[in-house]
Amino acid sequence: MDVPESGAAGTAAPNLAEGFPAATRERWRALVAGVLRKSGVAEERLADTPESVLATHGYDGFDIAPLYTADPPAADPGYPGLAPFTRGHRPGGGVAGGWDIRARHTEADPAVLRRRVQDDLMNGVSSLWVAVGADTATPDGVPLSRLGEALTDVYLDLAPVVLSAPGPHALDAARALLRAHADADVPDGRVISHLGLDPLSAAARAGERPDVADAARFAAEHAARHPRLGLFVADGTLVHDAGGSEAQEIGSAVAAGTAYLRALADAGIEPADAARRIEFRLAANADQFSVIAKLRAVRAMWNQVLEACGVPADQRGMSLHATTSDAMLTRRDPHVNMLRATVACFAAGVGGADAVTVAPFDSAVGLPDDFARRIARNTQSLLIEESHLAQVIDPAGGSFYVEALTRDLYGAGWAFFQETERAGGIGAAIEHGELRAAVDRVWERRRHDLARRTAPLTGVSEFPDPHEKPLVREPDPARRRPVPGGFPARRYAQDYEALRDRSDAHTATTGHRPGAFLVTLGPVAAHTARASFATNLLAAGGIEADDPGPIDDAPSAARAFAESGSRVAVICSSDRLYDEHAEDVARALKGAGARRVLLAGAPRDAYREAGVDSFVHRGCDAVALLTDLLDVILTDPPTTATDSTQGETV
């Protein structure tokens, strides 16, 4: 028998959905409600929109929904290369050769910098981001008088240099860079480097009043002679590194770009010319979709600013530099930073960044070594050359989720920008502390989530290794020192790492790590889940769990605890065994001299009355709990107590 081919003339293609119910939002809601109901979610929360239970509450005033569809339709993002430039300012995207791989250098020794720059340029790097400091004994980067020496081997008309210099020395560093180009016989018309002027961020970090006019006049003096020279950087990482939100980051970056645009116009540079000489810098972290969306949103925001300034549509493109987040990097288990950086770099590329910097995995520890720098380079090269990430224009475009997130971030970022403008501009917001106050409010919410591990950090707050041998690196000369009244540089892991540092100091002094005794009631099957949970949480503070194996009753628990020499006990078992033994065990442990008795499980008043001091459970304040335990273990002097069960002094 002849079987006609599917789709042939006169033959209908099979309907693969035949026999299945239509997939509607209402049916999906019913299925979600059924699952949540079985999970114990209250019925009143499921009445109207059960998906709200699954929504993620962000820091910018809108929620991330669990499901996105074509209804309601997202705003039209336009086409690549055309306003509003949501999809990128180049019609061909990065297909020609990928993005600009930019390596950051913070070395103070010109010889070391010269060697590492050469190594980078020979292995895939296409531009350099160089920290320059004053000619002092401890410069914040390579001394400005020796910048030319460090760049001796660089073809400056092919590999541009972007400066990063402290506020008081920024203009001197810019002169040194231009002098290096002149010494290398680079014609003025072929100078493609960037002065990296950013007086707003410098003033914010130093706790000083911003002054943009001097830098703008200096830039204008050199702009006409160097038509391709970059001038200012509008740096959103100032806000990101202080713990701010995505909308605050892009809103402040656009506000900074607007301030520089005004200053350059006052100095005599046409808005269109000024706009193309401003580079925007944003942070890319491991929250890949938020990174993609904010890079798309910020381009549309800048387009709207330039449109209001009368800049022609074909000249409103944004030069966008994405650098992997310093805030997300950890000193503990730093090799996990390779994974974070890979996800962040992927997101930056998909989001359409023109230049990307990947921080070496040991950057939070100190000055990166050669191996870490090679891994950072190769991360980008592999994504471009082997994963072909740049060969698709705006690959996230059309995703219901990404388009909705872009829209929401645009709205929140634009609102923050307008709020900043109403306050007198970003300079005034920095001077009067309004920007810092807004960022601090978000940081406190973020810190709350980190402390409760609802925002987990692999290798730090989750799955830490208490016996890890920390990496040792030379101090990074460009590492920002905290300045009273200035913008802080915060890292998400800092509170946990401070606890681990206390634990390490105690271990180095005494030869043993701070510990807590696990009171594992009942058989292994009854206590192992909560014992594992407690062990993981304790390790996040550098506290080692002592697991004695199954314990039968209160007298056995008191005896085993007394023999352990510990000051902290954590009761671990099932709810059924808690009902039978928890109160007696807590009283026995207190009688055996426990300074803190914890129970792994949900809080109960009856257990508190029996002597349980704290409860270890999902969503508990791990940082506060671990801080208290270390205070008890490391500072509370041992005392004697009588075990009421056994009648002996322990």
Side-chain angles (χ1 to χ4, degrees), residues 422-439:
R422 282 193 293 269
I426 192 169
I430 290 172
E431 180 181 358
H432 301 307
E434 294 165 345
L435 182 62
R436 170 72 187 273
V439 171

Side-chain angles (χ1 to χ4, degrees), residues 200-523:
L200 289 169
S201 294
R205 290 179 176 124
E208 300 172 350
R209 180 178 181 177
D211 181 12
V212 178
D214 285 346
R217 284 191 292 268
F218 175 88
E221 292 173 6
H222 297 277
R225 196 167 76 249
H226 303 95
R228 301 173 66 188
L229 177 67
L231 302 176
F232 281 93
V233 171
D235 194 352
T237 64
L238 168 77
V239 166
H240 175 88
D241 290 345
S245 69
E246 282 80 9
Q248 289 178 332
E249 182 185 0
I250 60 177
S252 62
V254 171
T258 303
Y260 293 143
L261 195 65
R262 291 190 181 112
L264 289 171
D266 291 342
I269 301 180
E270 290 295 322
D273 187 24
R276 70 179 180 83
R277 296 175 185 262
I278 299 172
E279 181 175 77
F280 286 76
R281 182 175 297 143
L282 298 177
N285 60 18
D287 185 357
Q288 59 182 334
F289 292 109
S290 291
V291 173
I292 294 168
K294 79 178 178 183
L295 297 190
R296 301 172 90 244
V298 76
R299 288 193 293 267
M301 291 172 63
W302 187 235
N303 170 73
Q304 187 163 344
V305 170
L306 296 184
E307 183 180 12
C309 295
V311 176
D314 61 348
Q315 299 180 52
R316 296 182 206 149
M318 169 187 282
S319 176
L320 184 52
H321 172 210
T323 177
T324 55
S325 164
D326 286 340
M328 76 172 177
L329 298 181
T330 65
R331 291 191 289 109
R332 298 292 175 158
D333 206 352
H335 294 87
V336 178
N337 291 333
M338 296 184 198
L339 304 180
R340 298 184 179 103
T342 300
V343 174
C345 181
F346 171 89
V350 171
D354 300 291
V356 179
T357 297
V358 171
F361 71 85
D362 54 356
S363 295
V365 181
L367 195 63
D369 66 6
D370 290 337
F371 171 73
R373 297 189 64 85
R374 180 168 68 87
I375 294 296
R377 283 194 308 266
N378 290 351
T379 298
Q380 300 204 55
S381 295
L382 288 170
L383 287 174
I384 294 172
E385 302 294 341
E386 296 192 14
S387 298
H388 306 297
L389 193 63
Q391 293 193 17
V392 179
I393 302 171
D394 186 30
S399 160
F400 299 140
Y401 173 37
V402 172
E403 296 294 358
L405 188 55
T406 301
R407 175 201 63 209
D408 291 341
L409 278 177
Y410 176 93
W414 188 257
F416 190 80
F417 166 66
Q418 289 181 310
E419 180 183 340
T420 304
E421 288 293 289
R422 282 193 293 269
I426 192 169
I430 290 172
E431 180 181 358
H432 301 307
E434 294 165 345
L435 182 62
R436 170 72 187 273
V439 171
D440 283 351
R441 287 193 292 271
V442 171
W443 167 246
E444 289 307 315
R445 292 173 57 199
R446 190 186 298 278
R447 196 177 190 184
H448 174 278
D449 294 341
L450 291 164
R452 285 157 179 76
R453 303 196 298 174
T454 54
L457 300 169
T458 303
V460 179
S461 65
E462 297 283 357
F463 313 112
D465 178 8
H467 302 289
E468 171 195 359
K469 184 178 180 180
L471 284 184
V472 177
R473 294 288 185 268
E474 297 179 17
D476 188 339
R479 178 70 56 83
R480 283 168 47 195
R481 287 85 173 173
V483 175
F487 251 73
R490 294 161 170 152
R491 287 184 303 106
Y492 303 151
Q494 65 185 40
D495 290 337
Y496 290 99
E497 290 176 347
L499 296 170
R500 297 280 292 276
D501 290 344
R502 289 184 65 188
S503 172
D504 286 353
H506 173 80
T507 304
T509 301
T510 65
H512 60 85
R513 190 163 294 281
F517 184 77
L518 300 186
V519 181
T520 45
L521 289 174

Side-chain angles (χ1 to χ4, degrees), residues 9 31 72 87 104 131 187 193 214 217 224 229 240 265 268 326 378-379 394 446 550 584 590 606 633 640 642 645:
L31 293 171
R87 309 193 69 187
R104 188 180 185 192
S193 290
D214 285 346
R217 284 191 292 268
L229 177 67
H240 175 88
D326 286 340
N378 290 351
T379 298
D394 186 30
R446 190 186 298 278
D584 292 339
K590 284 290 188 178
I633 295 170
T640 59
T642 300
T645 304

